[in-house]
Amino acid sequence: QADIRYSSSDIDDEDTINYTIFINNTFNISTRANITDLSIGDGIYSLKVSAYDQVEYSLNSTEIIFTKDSTPPVIMLESPGNDALLTSGGIMFMYNVSDLTELQNCSLFVNGGIILSTNSTRKYTSQNFTASYSDGSYTWSINCTDSANNTGNSSLYTFTVKIPLPA
């Protein structure tokens, strides 16, 4: 839901001002009041408001581009795969994120705790964190927050590190 608020004045203060709202260059509504609770889905929109008085004098607003994003980022874990058996302690945790808006940050969680974070994550491309672990079983996941403050969490994967003994 979205609220659209605007105002204007009539030069002689005698006429009622009407407004026409265009969203994505399509007529949406004609009204005399601000719009509250406009039901729109997630997406990128252009908004233009036309104001006109009773003698049909009109003025258009500047076009405003806005994004509505209420959906958290979607995170796909790439590597190591779920239930992976690793023979080296140096591990590259790879993931990919998709979202409507830009990302603020992403964090690597191992065994439920934050290990590393970055605020330079890009969408739609493989990203990674690197950390070292000794023999044992672990869980890992990624969470990311977008510029609309929606936080998404990946699935929880497990991996086991079993470093071979020297010959």
Side-chain angles (χ1 to χ4, degrees):
Q1 304 219 10
D3 292 342
I4 301 174
R5 301 192 184 282
Y6 39 83
S7 65
S8 62
S9 59
D10 185 50
I11 195 164
D12 59 15
D13 287 330
E14 293 180 12
D15 297 324
T16 301
I17 298 175
N18 296 293
Y19 299 95
T20 304
I21 311 301
F22 295 89
I23 297 177
N24 293 340
N25 295 318
T26 301
F27 171 77
N28 187 266
I29 191 170
S30 186
T31 182
R32 290 185 178 159
N34 289 316
I35 298 173
T36 58
D37 297 328
L38 177 67
S39 182
I40 58 173
D42 285 1
I44 300 170
Y45 296 91
S46 70
L47 170 72
K48 190 175 273 191
V49 178
S50 294
Y52 56 96
D53 64 17
Q54 292 172 334
V55 292
E56 297 301 321
Y57 178 75
S58 67
L59 185 63
N60 293 326
S61 70
T62 301
E63 181 180 36
I64 297 169
I65 305 295
F66 68 96
T67 301
K68 180 181 180 218
D69 180 10
S70 60
T71 305
V74 175
I75 304 151
M76 299 301 297
L77 301 181
E78 296 177 344
S79 176
N82 197 25
D83 297 323
L85 175 60
L86 307 172
T87 57
S88 171
I91 302 167
M92 184 178 293
F93 298 91
M94 297 187 68
Y95 62 100
N96 195 317
V97 185
S98 59
D99 194 59
L100 181 63
T101 58
E102 294 303 313
L103 299 170
Q104 284 185 356
N105 61 64
C106 289
S107 298
L108 167 66
F109 287 76
V110 174
N111 290 344
I114 294 178
I115 303 302
L116 297 166
S117 292
T118 182
N119 58 7
S120 61
T121 300
R122 294 186 323 234
K123 301 182 296 183
Y124 310 113
T125 186
S126 290
Q127 307 289 310
N128 69 75
F129 291 106
T130 302
S132 294
Y133 291 90
S134 57
D135 284 4
S137 293
Y138 303 89
T139 61
W140 77 284
S141 64
I142 301 286
N143 89 3
C144 297
T145 302
D146 66 19
S147 60
N149 287 322
N150 301 307
T151 299
N153 298 295
S154 72
S155 300
L156 184 66
Y157 277 17
T158 63
F159 66 95
T160 300
V161 175
K162 179 86 172 134
I163 301 170
L165 295 173

